[in-house]
Amino acid sequence: MTTQRTPASPDTATSPDIALRRAEHALEIPRARLATAVLTACATLAAAFALAAVSAYLVTRAWTMPPVLDLTVAVVMVRALGVARGVFRWLDRMTTHSVALRGVVSLRTNLFTALASRTDDALTRLRRGDLLARIGDDAQELADHVIKAIVPGIVSVVMFVVVLATIMPMSILAGLTMAASLVLASVLAPLAAYRASRISQDAVVTTRSQVSASALEILDDATSLRVDGRLDDALEALTQEQTAHDAAIDRAALPGAVASAAVPASMVLAVLGSLLAAGSAWLDGGASAGQIGVLLLLPLSSFESATALPAAAAQYARSRAAAVRLDAVVGPGDARGADSPQSATPPTDQHVPEATAHLRTVCLTAGWTPDAPRVRNLELDLAPGSRLAVVGASGSGKSTLLATLAGLLSPLSGSVQLDGTDIASLPPHAVRERVTMFAEDAHVFATSLRENLRVVRGDLDDDTALHALAAVGLDDWVAQLPRGLDTLLGPDGTTVSGGERRRLLLARAVIRGRGVLLLDEPTEHLDTARGDALLCSLLTPGDESLLPADTTVVVVTHRTEAIPPAAAVLRIEPGARTALDCPRTARGRTETQEDR
């Protein structure tokens, strides 16, 4: 079932500069490591620059046929600098990438910590593909920020000074020309590249997120979309989004090419200036052949650091945009979550709530956007041990209702109460302890079967795990696994079918077995007989139930004929009215088997 969500806008966050500073702070890069990376990069370019200068001197000095011993020092220096350049380049790559990779690990750790500490519904409103793009691609952009922006920027400043300090004593004219050329290459070219990247970045990032989100939704809901006759329209929309993404990239190509051409143009200017200075010095007889060679050839190796600056400026623009998007997801405070008002983990001295819970809704209106509510003015009173089936057409708002009851989606109006207290005012861990939602697209992790069950209970023992798997009909499947509960699931292990996946998620609910359990299509993709039997067991309290009698169970299902007579039914459909004291626009009502 496809759920329409409101895309979160990056513009709702703070300014790009503040967001980037927060992201850099979350990278937790020690200054000593960063300084080491910069020094090794400077040493690499300094060795290359010195190698060019000594080589130019050696070639032109040898042209005058001096005694061989006069060239010995220069020959040894060429060999030493050639080796040193390779060694420093290796150290540069190792230290720079080590800093970046360690930083992105810290960033992702801090991001997940901050995300787990959020108390609002911002994450729920994000499309899954959009969240994946932010945590994956945008975090990687900030790793590239270290490699492609921070280090090259600092190194270019150092090399600017080194080059001018080398050339200026030999010729004022060559030095001034080199300074003008370096300004052109180091300032104007990066500014052009930055402007080009800024022009296209918003469109590129937005369209990339849309393509990722739409592709994931089509993959997840291909069967439902085909049954509803909407698959072709979804594929056509995906094609249009991909076309828009490609067009945004094409728009960035031309100004990027202009920025790239500025560096070779400035290099030509520097060579012409050095040629004039060398000619003047030769005619005046005030310079040796070696000095003339250095003046003529050194400009060709003076722009290596400047060559990386347009790419660094473009990366800076991408990093700012990525930081804004991550900041919008993380919310107030920095990405390390230090300023978060609530912690996702309950305090150690916090009293653990009772397993039972009384869940109520008061004139609840739920939906993803205020202009398109899915459930209107709903009154529910679910005492401990209640069993409720939620039915309705695809897209009517069943999953939206579950997300709202679980506290993952804020109500548009009205309230959801847990034991008489609005869940919006309760700490997140207090709600999660007693209300648990098992979504139809819940994740099966690429780890062992045992660890996939422990996500709902960390102290799970093998006997309890095997009992839950047997209760949902997976005992034969487990018996065939090569390593039992230790079998790895996913691409690198055992492939899990759609039916096995649903029963694995249902086994998690059986293991949880306390408080309020909200199950979204738990018997989908199962054969009719097995699915109906499991549905009846979920909705029938007593000894034959999968879950304890005092556990409140709310199940979204399409199989109305399999709902047991004792279970209450909430039918969500346009035009349905409730007899409760609510506005006439109410669309939620409960019915018993007699009503059906």
Side-chain angles (χ1 to χ4, degrees), residues 68 82 156 187 210 276 288 318 336 349 378 531 544:
V68 175
S156 66
V187 178
Q210 291 174 346
L276 292 175
S288 66
R318 291 194 298 271
R336 297 196 302 176
D349 58 347
L378 175 66
E544 298 182 357

Side-chain angles (χ1 to χ4, degrees), residues 387 467 471 536-550:
R387 298 293 195 270
H467 175 76
C536 183
S537 179
L538 288 170
L539 292 174
T540 302
D543 295 337
E544 298 182 357
S545 177
L546 283 176
L547 300 166
D550 59 353

Side-chain angles (χ1 to χ4, degrees), residues 490-521:
D492 298 328
T494 299
T495 302
V496 181
S497 68
E500 291 163 350
R501 179 178 178 276
R502 287 303 175 109
R503 282 180 285 171
L504 177 58
L505 299 179
L506 184 55
R508 290 178 180 173
V510 173
I511 293 170
R512 181 67 175 173
R514 59 186 297 172
V516 179
L517 299 183
L518 310 173
L519 310 177
D520 195 355
E521 300 283 2

Side-chain angles (χ1 to χ4, degrees), residues 342-352 427-430:
Q342 300 288 354
S343 173
T345 304
T348 54
D349 58 347
Q350 177 89 15
H351 174 66
V352 178
H429 67 266

Side-chain angles (χ1 to χ4, degrees), residues 262-304:
V263 175
S266 63
M267 187 180 299
V268 171
L269 176 63
V271 171
L272 291 176
S274 295
L275 182 61
L276 292 175
S280 176
W282 181 259
L283 292 176
D284 294 340
S288 66
Q291 292 174 324
I292 296 299
V294 172
L295 283 176
L296 288 175
L297 299 180
L298 200 56
L300 298 178
S301 63
S302 301
F303 289 83
E304 189 171 352

Side-chain angles (χ1 to χ4, degrees), residues 73-103:
V73 175
V75 171
V76 173
M77 288 184 64
V78 167
R79 292 177 179 177
L81 290 171
V83 173
R85 180 184 181 185
V87 172
F88 285 135
R89 176 67 69 186
W90 180 82
L91 290 174
D92 170 28
R93 291 292 181 261
M94 290 294 293
T95 55
T96 303
H97 283 79
S98 175
V99 168
L101 293 176
R102 290 172 184 268

Side-chain angles (χ1 to χ4, degrees), residues 383-524:
S386 300
R387 298 293 195 270
L388 175 66
V390 181
V391 299
S394 296
S396 60
K398 304 185 297 296
S399 299
T400 302
L401 174 61
L402 289 195
T404 307
L405 293 178
L408 301 176
L409 184 66
S410 299
L412 298 178
S413 64
S415 64
V416 178
Q417 298 180 359
L418 187 61
D419 290 337
T421 304
D422 193 332
I423 62 173
S425 63
L426 292 173
H429 67 266
V431 179
R432 304 293 174 263
E433 177 67 26
R434 306 172 72 181
V435 183
T436 308
M437 177 180 173
F438 294 86
E440 61 176 340
D441 59 350
H443 192 63
V444 174
F445 297 92
T447 184
S448 68
L449 174 58
R450 179 186 288 105
E451 295 305 318
N452 265 284
L453 297 176
R454 279 183 173 172
V455 297
V456 294
R457 220 178 86 187
D459 61 348
L460 178 67
D461 57 71
D462 289 358
D463 291 339
T464 304
L466 292 172
H467 175 76
L469 292 169
V472 298
L474 284 178
D475 46 345
D476 292 339
W477 177 67
V478 175
Q480 297 174 0
L481 295 177
R483 299 180 59 191
L485 293 176
D486 292 319
T487 303
L488 295 180
L489 306 182
D492 298 328
T494 299
T495 302
V496 181
S497 68
E500 291 163 350
R501 179 178 178 276
R502 287 303 175 109
R503 282 180 285 171
L504 177 58
L505 299 179
L506 184 55
R508 290 178 180 173
V510 173
I511 293 170
R512 181 67 175 173
R514 59 186 297 172
V516 179
L517 299 183
L518 310 173
L519 310 177
D520 195 355
E521 300 283 2
T523 60
E524 192 75 8

